[in-house]
Amino acid sequence: MLNKEKALELLRENNQEHIMKFFDQLPEENKTEFLNQIENINWPDFKLIGSNEAASRGEFSVPPAVSISEIAKKHDEFEAIGLEAIKKGEVAAVLLAGGMGTRLGFDLPKGCFNVGETKELYIFQCLINNLMDVVNQAGCFVPLYIMTSEKNDQATREFFAEHDYFGYNPEYVKYFIQDMACAVDYNGKLLLEEKGRLATSPNGNGGWYASMVKAGLDKEMKAKGVKWINIFAVDNVCQRIADPVFVGATIAGGYEAGSKVVRKVDPQEKMGLLCLEDGKPSIVEYYEMSDEMAEARAEDGSLLYKYGVILNYLFSLEKLDEIVNNNMLVHVVEKKIPHIDADGNHVSPEEPNGYKFELLVLDMVHMMDSNLAFEVDRVHEFAPIKNLHGVDSVDSAKELLKKNGVIL
């Protein structure tokens, strides 16, 4: 543990001693917490500011995929393989739920948002209902790990307890907190959220497995015999979780990973596309694609690069262990960062004022040797809630829930 003198020495070496300005005013408990934050700063990230991480991409090609029609032909075979793995306890699910409902005008965890009209129906509840379909089919519970953040951990736990886990067996539910990364201004100077507390944010959706390892949950999963982890985002209320057909198709094909994908409706649709990059699985963002690549057609007239990812992935636990200590690419992202100024006054910027450091799950996909694109019907499995109204909104998700027979 750092003491004040060692912290000052470390900060001087990195030209960041300004953050100690209010240190002597802090209660002892806060001093300890602050020193702990300083000790956990990942200094190499700071060297990435100003570097052009997207400067060079490899050669793209079409990834291995199974279309909806191909899946239908082998549905029973895939389903049987997947159900066997689930019944053996080889499949776990990880819910990435570190975010707040800020963009929905909501100050609780995003999963606590109510999408019901005639009754209460929460985002978390929709996801548990979807997972319960598999539990009922397999006749056993799937271990569920919920990733929270420092900001929403307590509220998330209380919400699930208050609603009796929406019928899920709490013995199969574990929580872990996502690692945080500090934020800096445009000059690379650390920002304070308040006196004696660094401005931090969750370190991106690619940090989930390292956060699980830090919580010791990797050992627990291995002890249970888990071999596959299905990670999924909190905001897609129609997605199928621990889907036996998806699990079975990935296992049957001998892949290290699988990605649920939907077919693009338009060449310029704004979504990350699954591809191979220099022969390895990869995701290319829509803004990184040339018009030529976006418009390219296959022999049957369909788009060549047509499969967009929906943040629902299946990873081999063995492979995750192999890559977790490799240095993942850290993305430097411009953000609006609330902070205090040199006089201790709170500042809430209306424009981006600095950088956050994030790890992205798409880089984990690229670290796999093989990955299956598994196509799903977007009407049945793709109802993301990013905004209150418009595209990918509460409104559009409600319409899709109704189409799938969910009573709101």
Side-chain angles (χ1 to χ4, degrees):
M1 181 70 198
L2 287 182
N3 58 25
K4 180 186 174 183
E5 288 67 35
K6 284 184 179 171
L8 275 167
E9 188 181 327
L10 180 63
L11 292 167
R12 281 194 197 102
E13 283 172 17
N14 291 281
N15 201 22
Q16 301 281 358
E17 62 268 32
H18 65 283
I19 64 169
M20 294 293 280
K21 179 174 181 181
F22 306 106
F23 186 81
D24 292 332
Q25 304 170 18
L26 301 174
E28 283 308 311
E29 184 185 332
N30 292 34
K31 284 181 181 176
T32 304
E33 285 176 11
F34 190 46
L35 291 170
N36 189 40
Q37 271 197 308
I38 293 168
E39 190 170 27
N40 285 308
I41 292 170
N42 192 30
W43 297 108
D45 289 354
F46 291 57
K47 294 172 184 167
L48 299 168
I49 296 170
S51 67
N52 187 358
E53 66 182 44
S56 59
R57 293 293 304 250
E59 188 176 328
F60 295 117
S61 56
V62 180
V66 281
S67 66
I68 289 172
S69 59
E70 290 168 321
I71 293 163
K73 288 174 193 167
K74 292 191 168 184
H75 177 277
D76 293 352
E77 178 194 333
F78 290 156
E79 186 176 62
I81 295 168
L83 280 172
E84 185 186 3
I86 291 165
K87 287 174 182 177
K88 284 182 177 173
E90 293 176 355
V91 180
V94 174
L95 167 55
L96 307 182
M100 302 295 281
T102 316
R103 283 170 71 178
L104 307 178
F106 183 66
D107 60 4
L108 285 171
K110 195 172 192 178
C112 301
F113 190 85
N114 179 20
V115 294
E117 293 176 350
T118 63
K119 62 175 185 175
E120 290 178 337
L121 181 67
Y122 305 101
I123 291 176
F124 280 141
Q125 187 175 3
C126 291
L127 299 174
I128 294 295
N129 289 347
N130 296 348
L131 185 52
M132 280 301 297
D133 288 345
V134 175
V135 169
N136 292 329
Q137 187 183 7
C140 62
F141 280 91
V142 174
L144 174 62
Y145 298 89
I146 300 173
M147 184 175 80
T148 62
S149 62
E150 283 182 0
K151 288 185 170 70
N152 80 1
D153 181 68
Q154 187 179 348
T156 301
R157 289 170 186 256
E158 288 172 355
F159 188 79
F160 270 97
E162 181 189 333
H163 292 90
D164 296 321
Y165 289 78
F166 303 107
Y168 213 78
N169 185 339
E171 289 177 18
Y172 287 83
V173 179
K174 291 281 172 70
Y175 301 90
F176 65 100
I177 296 176
Q178 184 174 11
D179 284 346
M180 304 293 278
C182 50
V184 297
D185 66 16
Y186 284 134
N187 297 315
K189 293 284 192 178
L190 285 163
L191 293 168
L192 291 174
E193 188 175 280
E194 55 192 53
K195 293 177 181 179
R197 183 161 186 83
L198 292 171
T200 61
S201 63
N203 67 346
N205 59 26
W208 67 272
Y209 188 63
S211 299
M212 286 190 90
V213 170
K214 195 171 180 180
L217 294 174
D218 59 323
K219 295 183 180 68
E220 180 189 288
M221 284 190 290
K222 283 170 202 154
K224 285 180 176 174
V226 171
K227 292 183 179 177
W228 297 94
I229 303 179
N230 182 197
I231 70 160
F232 60 102
V234 71
D235 56 13
N236 180 2
V237 289
C238 284
Q239 67 189 318
R240 311 310 296 174
I241 302 143
D243 172 359
V245 185
F246 176 41
V247 173
T250 307
I251 293 172
Y255 292 93
E256 289 181 342
S259 305
K260 284 204 168 186
V261 294
V262 293
R263 200 170 288 233
K264 271 201 306 184
V265 293
D266 176 84
Q268 302 300 334
E269 187 175 1
K270 294 180 176 179
M271 61 194 319
L273 291 179
L274 207 58
C275 63
L276 292 177
E277 183 177 354
D278 295 335
K280 286 197 74 176
S282 194
I283 293 164
V284 58
E285 293 290 359
Y286 64 92
Y287 51 80
E288 296 177 296
M289 296 185 81
S290 64
D291 286 342
E292 183 183 15
M293 187 176 170
E295 305 274 356
R297 300 275 170 177
E299 284 180 14
D300 65 359
S302 68
L303 291 169
L304 198 58
Y305 296 97
K306 54 180 167 281
Y307 290 129
V309 290
I310 61 172
L311 219 171
N312 187 313
Y313 300 103
L314 186 70
F315 289 113
S316 151
L317 182 56
E318 188 180 357
K319 185 62 177 179
L320 286 171
D321 269 340
E322 196 182 299
I323 70 167
V324 71
N325 292 321
N326 293 359
N327 285 330
M328 281 181 70
L329 177 66
V330 177
H331 297 260
V332 182
V333 188
E334 281 191 74
K335 297 276 184 174
K336 292 185 279 193
I337 305 159
H339 61 284
I340 59 168
D341 63 19
D343 298 319
N345 302 311
H346 285 272
V347 179
S348 295
E350 292 182 10
E351 299 292 330
N353 62 319
Y355 301 111
K356 291 182 180 179
F357 303 98
E358 295 184 350
L359 302 171
L360 300 180
V361 73
L362 56 87
D363 294 317
M364 296 182 88
V365 173
H366 194 45
M367 294 166 92
M368 298 285 141
D369 291 321
S370 61
N371 173 73
L372 176 68
F374 182 92
E375 186 188 3
V376 297
D377 184 338
R378 58 196 299 155
V379 172
H380 295 307
E381 292 206 37
F382 189 48
I385 297 175
K386 307 285 186 194
N387 311 295
L388 206 48
H389 306 293
V391 178
D392 294 344
S393 66
V394 174
D395 298 341
S396 60
K398 283 183 177 185
E399 287 307 308
L400 286 167
L401 282 167
K402 288 173 188 173
K403 278 187 183 178
N404 284 290
V406 178
I407 296 166
L408 305 183

